[in-house]
Amino acid sequence: MSIGKTYFRTSNITSRKTVRQCSEIHRNNRDKNILWCKIYYRDVILRKSEEATAMNKERIYVIGAGNHAKVILSVLEACGMCCAGIYDDNLSLKGSTLWCVPILGPISEMPDTPETMAVIAIGSNSARREIAAGFKNVCWPALVHPQSAVHSSVRIGEGTVVLPGSIILADSIIGKHTIINTSSVINQDTVIGDFCHIGMKSAIADGVKIEDGSFIGMGAVIIPHITIEKNVTVGAGGVVIRNLDKDGCYVGNPVSRILLPVIK
């Protein structure tokens, strides 16, 4: 695919739109579940082309100035996009910069308009949910790093970020504001809900269902056709061989539930 193009998939139409058009169409149809925002950037080396020049005019705000913000800024850079500024509730950061990007002030000061495009750069599932709920009109583009491999049939929800080295196979569905972290593997026909976090080098087999708000630790393994309930945490290196139908924290090989707070 060419850099700077956004691809939409409907039941019988495939069309090319700009990033902003894509986000606006998706937002207006989100309740119908018809259109899914899928922004794939390839051939980063061609960023100096005419298409890439137009793409660079798209400016996105980043919410959060912590460590995950550095990850998101690197994705925007790889996609040939500009960061217009960062919002963070740590008032001591206002007026400073992160990678030469200005920190503009608290999150509440970000404009809640259809023209505003933003991505939430916070690792906490619950924090992303709370922030997203506070804005009714903002466009949340889905970002896919050019060094990931995502099949064209995959559906990706708004605000989701797919990091480099990740592989998502055919007919999988990724919900809204989910993080697919570095070098994760998601096999075909898997469904991952909203506000989830799939840790680095996780291996998720085919037909798995992971419900909203769940956190899969780095290096975890999930065998085929497993269902994981809402707000479940699977610890790093955990091996899931049965359904996890109660929220909580699961660790070990195979995983078992322990009495610890859920990590979000």
Side-chain angles (χ1 to χ4, degrees):
M1 296 180 182
S2 300
I3 186 170
K5 292 294 183 180
T6 299
Y7 286 77
F8 262 88
R9 195 171 199 76
T10 66
S11 57
N12 56 4
I13 299 175
T14 299
S15 60
R16 297 185 178 189
K17 302 289 183 182
T18 67
V19 176
R20 190 176 303 282
Q21 288 171 326
C22 177
S23 299
E24 289 173 353
I25 293 172
H26 177 61
R27 188 182 64 252
N28 293 334
N29 290 275
R30 66 177 66 169
D31 294 333
K32 300 177 184 179
N33 237 355
I34 296 174
L35 299 177
W36 288 76
C37 186
K38 301 201 303 182
I39 303 177
Y40 298 150
Y41 302 104
R42 294 293 184 267
D43 305 324
V44 179
I45 198 170
L46 301 178
R47 278 190 288 174
K48 293 184 180 179
S49 67
E50 183 178 348
E51 282 186 348
T53 301
M55 185 63 199
N56 281 332
K57 296 179 182 179
E58 296 289 355
R59 298 173 62 84
I60 296 182
Y61 291 108
V62 169
I63 296 176
N67 285 335
H68 194 58
K70 298 176 182 178
V71 176
I72 297 302
L73 289 174
S74 68
V75 174
L76 292 175
E77 180 183 14
C79 292
M81 306 180 74
C82 295
C83 180
I86 300 171
Y87 288 94
D88 192 283
D89 284 341
N90 185 347
L91 297 182
S92 67
L93 297 177
K94 185 175 181 178
S96 61
T97 61
L98 177 64
W99 286 9
C100 298
V101 178
I103 299 176
L104 303 175
I107 297 169
S108 59
E109 292 184 0
M110 190 179 79
D112 188 9
T113 67
E115 293 74 32
T116 301
M117 299 180 67
V119 58
I120 303 174
I122 297 175
S124 166
N125 294 341
S126 58
R128 291 199 308 283
R129 181 188 296 275
E130 181 179 352
I131 291 168
F135 294 93
K136 303 302 181 184
N137 300 301
V138 169
C139 294
W140 305 105
L143 300 177
V144 177
H145 195 283
Q147 293 178 359
S148 62
V150 181
H151 190 264
S152 60
S153 64
V154 172
R155 293 182 286 175
I156 298 177
E158 62 180 11
T160 285
V161 179
V162 180
L163 296 182
S166 296
I167 300 172
I168 308 178
L169 299 185
D171 288 329
S172 290
I173 299 173
I174 314 296
K176 300 183 296 183
H177 296 283
T178 284
I179 298 170
I180 308 298
N181 219 319
T182 308
S183 299
S184 300
V185 177
I186 300 170
N187 275 277
Q188 66 273 14
D189 300 313
T190 287
V191 178
I192 297 175
D194 301 337
F195 304 100
C196 291
H197 189 151
I198 308 301
M200 295 181 291
K201 294 190 175 181
S202 298
I204 301 174
D206 57 289
V208 170
K209 182 179 181 182
I210 299 174
E211 298 193 2
D212 297 351
S214 290
F215 180 97
I216 308 301
M218 60 182 179
V221 176
I222 304 174
I223 69 169
H225 307 295
I226 290 293
T227 296
I228 294 178
E229 256 297 346
K230 295 180 179 179
N231 302 320
V232 164
T233 294
V234 175
V239 178
V240 183
I241 61 173
R242 60 179 177 83
N243 292 342
L244 304 182
D245 54 7
K246 187 176 182 180
D247 63 3
C249 185
Y250 295 79
V251 300
N253 180 7
V255 296
S256 58
R257 190 169 184 265
I258 60 174
L259 298 178
L260 287 177
V262 175
I263 301 171
K264 294 184 180 179

